[in-house]
C-alpha cells in the first residue's frame, strides 16, 4: 500500500471515531443537571423570555431531533453558535483562541524537546554514574508532579517573591505595539511576549520534557547495546561518531511516538496551564463553556480536540516511514 493510500484509509477511519465522540459527548452534556438558557437570561427573566431563548438556540426540540440536526450541521463544518457568547459562531471562537494555545504549545515543546533529547542521550552515554542518576531522578519528579502545582510554585517564586516575571496573561508576538502596555516598538512587544511565555512554557513543558527524557535514555541504551554498535566500537569508531551516525537516528522511533502522543494530550494540560496563568486560549474557552453549560461550545471544542488527537497519531505513523525506510504500509517490512 502506498503512503497516499494509507493516509486515505486512515482518514476514513477518523469518521466513526468522531461519530462516537460526538454521540457520547452529546448524551453526557444533555444528561447533566442545569439549564444553560436560565444561566443566559438570568433568574429575573419571565417564562416568555426563557421560551424565546430556548427556541432561538433550538433547545425546545426533542433530544433526538437536536442530535440529528447537530450531526447534519457538523457534516457541513457548522458547529453551531455559542449561548454564552450571545450567538457567536463556535468556529469563530475556536479560531480566535487557537493561536494563543498553539503559541503556548509550540514554546513548551521547543523547551521540552530541546532539553529532553540532549539529557536522554547524555544519561545513556554515562549510564549508572552521577549524571545518569540525576537525569533519572529529575525525570521521575517531572512525570510525578501535577502541572498546576508547578505553575503555582513558579508564580510564587518568580512572580510574587522574585518579581521577575509576570504571573498571568499572554502577549502575542505579532500584537500591535500600541495595544501592549509600555511597548513602543516591535522589539518591546517581542520582549514582553517572551517574558509572559516563560512560566507557562515551563509549567506545560515539564511533564513533556520528563517523559521524553526517559524514553530517549532507554531507547539510546537499547541501540547502544546492539551488535552493529559493538562492531563499530571494535573497529575503533569514536563514541561521538557512533552516537551521531549509528545510534541517534535508530533510537528515535519510540521517542517520536511519545512526542506525538504528548503533543496531542498536551492540549489537556493546556486547560490547567491557561487556568493557572489566566490565559485566554482554548483551555480557558473550555472551562468557560463548561461553567456556562454552553452545549454547542462544549461540543465544538471537544470535536476539535478529537480531530487534533487522531490527526496527531496519523502524522506520527506517517513519520515512521520517513525515519525508518524499512517500514512499509503493506503489512510487511520494506525491501
Amino acid at each position: 500500500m502506498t503512503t497516499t493510500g494509507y493516509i486515505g484509509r486512515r482518514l476514513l477511519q477518523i469518521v466513526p471515531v468522531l461519530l462516537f465522540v460526538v454521540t457520547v459527548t452529546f448524551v453526557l452534556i444533555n444528561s447533566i443537571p442545569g439549564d444553560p438558557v436560565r444561566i443566559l437570561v438570568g433568574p429575573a427573566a419571565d417564562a416568555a423570555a426563557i421560551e424565546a431563548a430556548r427556541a432561538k438556540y433550538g433547545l425546545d426540540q426533542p433530544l433526538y431531533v437536536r442530535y440529528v440536526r447537530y450531526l447534519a450541521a457538523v457534516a457541513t463544518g457548522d458547529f453551531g453558535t455559542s449561548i454564552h457568547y450571545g450567538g457567536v459562531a463556535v468556529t469563530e471562537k475556536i479560531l480566535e483562541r487557537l493561536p494563543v494555545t498553539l503559541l503556548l504549545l509550540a514554546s513548551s515543546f521547543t523547551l521540552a524537546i530541546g532539553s529532553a533529547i540532549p539529557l536522554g542521550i547524555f544519561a545513556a552515554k554515562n549510564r549508572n554514574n552521577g549524571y545518569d542518576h540525576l537525569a533519572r531522578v529529575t525525570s521521575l519528579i517531572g512525570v510525578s508532579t501535577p502541572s498546576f502545582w508547578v505553575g503555582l510554585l513558579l508564580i510564587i517564586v518568580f512572580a510574587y517573591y522574585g518579581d521577575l516575571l509576570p504571573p498571568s496573561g499572554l502577549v502575542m508576538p505579532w500584537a500591535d505595539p500600541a495595544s501592549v502596555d509600555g511597548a513602543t516598538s516591535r522589539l518591546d512587544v517581542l520582549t514582553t511576549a517572551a517574558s509572559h511565555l516563560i512560566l507557562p512554557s515551563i509549567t506545560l513543558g515539564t511533564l513533556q520534557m520528563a517523559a521524553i527524557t526517559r524514553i530517549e535514555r532507554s531507547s539510546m541504551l537499547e541501540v547502544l547495546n546492539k551488535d552493529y554498535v559493538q562492531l563499530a566500537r571494535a573497529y575503533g569508531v569514536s563514541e561521538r561518531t557512533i552516537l551521531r551516525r549509528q545510534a541517534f537516528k535508530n533510537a528515535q522511533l519510540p521517542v517520536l511516538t511519545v512526542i506525538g502522543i504528548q503533543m496531542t494530550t498536551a492540549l489537556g494540560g493546556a486547560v490547567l496551564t491557561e487556568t493557572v496563568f489566566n490565559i485566554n486560549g482554548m483551555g480557558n474557552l473550555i472551562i468557560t463553556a463548561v461553567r456556562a453549560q454552553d452545549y454547542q461550545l462544549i461540543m465544538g471544542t471537544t470535536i476539535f480536540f478529537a480531530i487534533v488527537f487522531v490527526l496527531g497519531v496519523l502524522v506520527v505513523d506517517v513519520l515512521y516511514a520517513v525515519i525508518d525506510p524499512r517500514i512499509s504500509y503493506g503489512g510487511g517490512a520494506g525491501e
Side-chain angles (χ1 to χ4, degrees):
M1 182 183 296
T2 64
T3 303
T4 303
Y6 175 78
I7 294 175
R9 188 182 70 178
R10 289 295 301 271
L11 288 175
L12 290 177
Q13 293 174 350
I14 292 176
V15 176
V17 173
L18 294 181
L19 180 60
F20 176 78
V21 171
V22 170
T23 303
V24 172
T25 308
F26 189 88
V27 172
L28 290 177
I29 288 175
N30 286 275
S31 301
I32 60 177
D35 187 350
V37 171
R38 290 189 176 274
I39 296 176
L40 173 67
V41 299
D46 56 20
I50 293 175
E51 291 306 316
R54 288 189 195 281
K56 177 181 178 181
Y57 294 103
L59 297 177
D60 58 337
Q61 300 296 320
L63 186 62
Y64 70 90
V65 173
R66 289 157 48 196
Y67 174 71
V68 172
R69 287 181 177 178
Y70 188 76
L71 284 181
V74 169
T76 64
D78 181 9
F79 293 102
T81 57
S82 168
I83 298 175
H84 177 73
Y85 290 101
V88 176
V90 170
T91 304
E92 181 180 337
K93 294 303 297 183
I94 291 176
L95 294 177
E96 175 187 315
R97 301 291 187 91
L98 184 59
V100 177
T101 300
L102 290 180
L103 176 63
L104 177 58
L105 290 175
S107 61
S108 64
F109 267 90
T110 299
L111 173 66
I113 297 174
S115 58
I117 291 180
L119 282 174
I121 296 174
F122 191 71
K125 180 182 177 182
N126 300 277
R127 183 181 184 183
N128 291 331
N129 68 9
Y131 298 109
D132 184 28
H133 294 322
L134 178 61
R136 291 162 65 185
V137 171
T138 302
S139 299
L140 179 61
I141 294 174
V143 297
S144 306
T145 307
S147 59
F148 69 87
W149 186 86
V150 174
L152 292 174
L153 183 64
L154 291 175
I155 289 174
I156 292 172
V157 174
F158 293 101
Y160 182 75
Y161 285 111
D163 196 22
L164 300 173
L165 295 168
S168 63
L170 193 64
V171 175
M172 307 304 286
W174 51 84
D176 186 353
S179 64
V180 180
D181 291 340
T184 57
S185 64
R186 176 57 53 190
L187 180 60
D188 291 338
V189 174
L190 294 176
T191 303
T192 303
S195 65
H196 279 80
L197 265 175
I198 292 175
L199 296 185
S201 298
I202 295 175
T203 299
L204 186 57
T206 297
L207 173 61
Q208 328 305 334
M209 181 271 293
I212 296 170
T213 299
R214 289 162 63 92
I215 297 300
E216 181 71 44
R217 175 188 177 276
S218 62
S219 184
M220 285 293 296
L221 284 175
E222 181 181 354
V223 172
L224 289 174
N225 288 323
K226 295 288 186 180
D227 290 341
Y228 66 86
V229 174
Q230 301 299 330
L231 181 62
R233 287 175 176 148
Y235 276 103
V237 180
S238 67
E239 196 70 19
R240 182 175 181 179
T241 301
I242 290 175
L243 286 173
R244 187 178 69 254
R245 293 187 178 180
Q246 277 83 26
F248 177 75
K249 184 176 180 179
N250 293 332
Q252 297 314 302
L253 279 180
V255 178
L256 178 63
T257 302
V258 172
I259 291 177
I261 294 175
Q262 292 293 329
M263 280 187 173
T264 52
T265 56
L267 285 170
V271 174
L272 293 175
T273 303
E274 291 178 4
T275 302
V276 170
F277 289 94
N278 193 28
I279 298 173
N280 288 323
M282 286 292 296
N284 213 318
L285 183 64
I286 293 174
I287 296 297
T288 301
V290 172
R291 287 175 176 172
Q293 292 186 317
D294 191 333
Y295 293 164
Q296 303 279 36
L297 191 54
I298 296 174
M299 291 293 299
T301 52
T302 302
I303 295 172
F304 174 80
F305 274 44
I307 292 173
V308 170
F309 184 84
V310 294
L311 289 181
V313 174
L314 173 60
V315 170
V316 171
D317 287 347
V318 173
L319 287 178
Y320 272 7
V322 176
I323 294 180
D324 190 349
R326 297 172 300 175
I327 296 177
S328 71
Y329 299 114
E335 296 296 325

